[in-house]
Amino acid sequence: MPRLRSLFTPLNFGRLILLGVLLFSAEQLDEMRPPWKSAWARHRAEGKEPTFNEHLSTGLWYGAAARVGLCGLLLVVSLGWGVKREPGSGTTFMLGKKTDPQLSPQVFGVVLGVIVLGALAMRLPRMDHSFWGDEAHAVGAYIHGNFRPVDKTQLDGPLFFEQPTWEQTFFSARHGANNHVVFSATSRLCLNLWQKITGQPHTAFTEWIIRLPVLIAGLGALITMALLLKRWGAPLPGLMTAAFLTMHPWHVRYGVEARGYAFMLLFVPAFLICLTNALEKNRWRDWLAVALMEFLIMYSWAGVMYALAMVNVAAAALMLMRRDRLPLLIRWLTANLLAAAVFVSLYLPHVPQIESARRRLLWLKGLPMDKVWFHNLLTQPFTGISYHEQYATNPHELSWERLLSQSPVLTGVGFVVLFGAFTLGFFVMWRRSKPVALVVTSVLSAAIICTLHFKYILEDELRPWYLIFTLPFLAMCVALGWLEAACFCARCVPQRWRNMTFANTMIALVLLMSASLWPANASLVSMAEENYKGAVAATIARHEPFSPDATSGVLTVWLWRFSALYDPRGESRARDLATVQPYMERALQTGKELYVIVGFRDLAQLKSADILAVLEDTARFERTATFHSRESLHSLDVYRMKRP
């Protein structure tokens, strides 16, 4: 009996679970039709778009196949789970110094609470802003659903509501890689709860309730980043990092935007806390926490894969330098394989849809990756603001070139202080803790790999915000630079003035940075990224309430920008005057109002000049409203056709 009881160990229980999952997945493969024998392959060969269910079946088959392989590999690795832990030199993540100003846990908690409350005050005004294009597509496709015309030839006629299933919330990717599943699932839960509590129909939505999980995750990201640096023995730089993130325009924007970036920013510091514990203590519970955090990070936003891969390379390098490397490497490999097994099972159904969307939307590849793109790519992660001014006619566009021309002293000093603090902090980090510096540098180097991958392999424009995974660590280096500068200033004065000098220097640096970034943050707080809601209020809502069962008395044509979430009856396929002319004739014949909403004006001038010529004819149309944006392609001009 003692021998029998010795078999029922936690490690053997884990092996049994893996064996069960492997056998179950193998049975699934046997029951499912392989993709190359399915309707999915046949439709692709015929040049037809496979249905969602066909994509889903294909992805689930590949997921089951990957699960078999990964579980088999895990069972092989499990042979080393019993390797005894050897005494090793350990890996110490200690970023703080004894000479740094010390903070009690109570002071740390109070100051962090004040920072979070300040961040909340900056973000609350953005909660009810109109969704912009990417947000609206994701909310309509994966969370709320859209109204659609009963008769596609009569867009102004009755509508029916098409709501996504929960399968689509988790597995759909019909618009490409824009279903950030953790966000989609949590926002849909919040929306459903709001509808039940308020008695609203399932067709109702409001922007703030869909953004609520993102707001919570964004504020939580400030807390986890501060706790990470506290875990690394640097609580004061942790608070300064959180303060910098609070006023960084990217965090102000994406800490509220209806996407998954805020969840990624929440989980990455938590992952590094777990990884730190695992490397220092090599306990199974810490490695399992690493696996959970890796899965949540990838399921929040798969674009973080570059950073996650590089952090694991850095962790492997740290383990290889230790005497107890074997048990560490076995547990590290186990954690990564576990995370991969769960993630690929759930995410592989997205992959055939993403590839299909990529082929279908080749014309949306974006702008050329030239030197202007590169300069903007360098400045945006640091400041959230592009360097080059692109559209001088847009009074709301933000760029360092424009800010330098308007306020050269404040902007220039702030710019120099920011980059100087980052450079100083980066070298200070390497001097203080090689393990911390290696991990942080691996994240920053992932941005280079990501950029090269997009430019030379994908040949698709890398949008600057795809590098948002670098933001917490850029902020950390800036905070270390501020700390070093304040300590230097304090050492330059007599002992009795040092504390006051240190505090005043820190306050001055924070205020200077806040002032330099205020134009961007003020714009973010006061202006929607793309005001579809305002455009609908200035057109359809001026004449009638929304009624899906009735025929509308207003015709709308959208040029180059459109959201079915806000205007399900809008015509979005107009590209030349021939497609707009029938609506003009119909409005004249029926007495209906006709509005044309123009977005991405530069593209419209290039591709739809004949439409713009008619719209600018004051005898036929009048411009009734303009909804500006910081990016000209998101500005919307509203034109109303005059009656004869």
Side-chain angles (χ1 to χ4, degrees), residues 355-585:
E355 182 57 30
S356 179
R358 179 177 163 81
R359 291 195 307 270
R360 189 175 69 250
L361 303 173
L362 282 175
W363 66 279
L364 289 177
K365 273 200 165 187
L367 300 174
M369 290 177 279
D370 52 15
K371 66 178 183 180
V372 171
W373 161 83
F374 182 66
H375 296 161
N376 292 337
L377 197 69
L378 289 177
T379 59
Q380 284 216 29
F382 286 95
T383 65
I385 304 171
S386 297
Y387 181 78
H388 289 284
E389 180 181 77
Q390 297 193 10
Y391 301 102
T393 56
N394 182 1
H396 300 277
E397 181 184 298
L398 290 173
S399 67
W400 279 106
E401 284 185 333
R402 181 174 293 186
L403 292 173
L404 285 167
S405 66
Q406 294 173 348
S407 179
V409 176
L410 179 61
T411 303
V413 171
F415 195 89
V416 170
V417 167
L418 174 62
F419 281 91
F422 168 78
T423 304
L424 177 61
F426 185 78
F427 286 107
V428 166
M429 175 182 64
W430 273 101
R431 193 179 68 210
R432 289 187 171 206
S433 174
K434 297 294 190 297
V436 169
L438 184 61
V439 169
V440 172
T441 304
S442 71
V443 177
L444 300 181
S445 64
I448 300 174
I449 295 172
C450 177
T451 302
L452 295 174
H453 183 224
F454 268 77
K455 183 172 177 61
Y456 295 108
I457 298 177
L458 297 180
E459 296 182 344
D460 192 359
E461 181 194 2
L462 174 66
R463 275 69 170 178
W465 62 86
Y466 292 177
L467 303 183
I468 193 172
F469 56 78
T470 63
L471 178 58
F473 306 99
L474 295 175
M476 171 185 152
C477 291
V478 170
L480 288 171
W482 286 351
L483 176 65
E484 192 71 12
C487 289
F488 175 79
C489 292
R491 289 193 297 268
C492 294
V493 300
Q495 181 70 38
R496 65 180 183 275
W497 299 107
R498 287 185 177 178
N499 289 340
M500 182 179 294
T501 301
F502 177 86
N504 288 338
T505 304
M506 289 300 303
I507 292 171
L509 289 169
V510 171
L511 290 178
L512 175 62
M513 191 52 50
S514 177
S516 297
L517 298 176
W518 176 246
N521 288 329
S523 175
L524 284 165
V525 168
S526 61
M527 182 187 298
E529 184 65 28
E530 190 169 22
N531 201 349
Y532 289 119
K533 184 164 65 171
V536 170
T539 55
I540 303 168
R542 286 181 58 187
H543 304 280
E544 61 187 26
F546 177 70
S547 178
D549 298 323
T551 297
S552 175
V554 181
L555 303 174
T556 53
V557 176
W558 295 76
L559 192 60
W560 294 107
R561 300 295 294 178
F562 172 67
S563 170
L565 185 68
Y566 288 101
D567 183 12
R569 291 188 170 102
E571 170 59 74
S572 63
R573 295 163 297 179
R575 295 294 180 263
D576 53 36
L577 188 58
T579 55
V580 178
Q581 195 71 41
Y583 288 91
M584 297 170 61
E585 294 172 358

Side-chain angles (χ1 to χ4, degrees), residues 91-98 100 229-235 276 280 428-429 431-437:
T91 302
T92 303
F93 290 81
M94 184 51 62
L95 191 61
K97 292 172 60 177
K98 293 182 179 180
D100 290 343
L229 270 78
K230 186 174 185 292
R231 173 65 180 82
W232 286 345
T276 299
E280 289 187 354
V428 166
M429 175 182 64
R431 193 179 68 210
R432 289 187 171 206
S433 174
K434 297 294 190 297
V436 169

Side-chain angles (χ1 to χ4, degrees), residues 268-422:
V268 164
F271 159 68
L272 290 178
I273 291 173
C274 297
L275 183 62
T276 299
N277 292 335
L279 290 174
E280 289 187 354
K281 302 171 184 178
N282 196 21
R283 299 178 301 194
W284 270 114
R285 63 173 176 266
D286 295 322
W287 285 112
L288 292 176
V290 166
L292 175 62
M293 288 298 110
E294 284 187 317
F295 163 71
L296 289 174
I297 289 169
M298 288 293 292
Y299 214 39
S300 297
W301 178 52
V304 75
M305 62 183 176
Y306 303 95
L308 202 56
M310 291 304 296
V311 169
N312 274 290
V313 170
L318 290 171
M319 288 182 280
L320 288 170
M321 291 187 286
R322 292 171 54 166
R323 287 186 299 171
D324 57 343
R325 63 180 70 90
L326 182 58
L328 277 168
L329 287 168
I330 289 172
R331 296 185 181 189
W332 166 77
L333 184 58
T334 300
N336 278 280
L337 289 173
L338 281 173
V342 179
F343 175 71
V344 299
S345 298
L346 295 173
Y347 197 76
L348 276 179
H350 292 227
V351 174
Q353 300 174 73
I354 292 170
E355 182 57 30
S356 179
R358 179 177 163 81
R359 291 195 307 270
R360 189 175 69 250
L361 303 173
L362 282 175
W363 66 279
L364 289 177
K365 273 200 165 187
L367 300 174
M369 290 177 279
D370 52 15
K371 66 178 183 180
V372 171
W373 161 83
F374 182 66
H375 296 161
N376 292 337
L377 197 69
L378 289 177
T379 59
Q380 284 216 29
F382 286 95
T383 65
I385 304 171
S386 297
Y387 181 78
H388 289 284
E389 180 181 77
Q390 297 193 10
Y391 301 102
T393 56
N394 182 1
H396 300 277
E397 181 184 298
L398 290 173
S399 67
W400 279 106
E401 284 185 333
R402 181 174 293 186
L403 292 173
L404 285 167
S405 66
Q406 294 173 348
S407 179
V409 176
L410 179 61
T411 303
V413 171
F415 195 89
V416 170
V417 167
L418 174 62
F419 281 91
F422 168 78

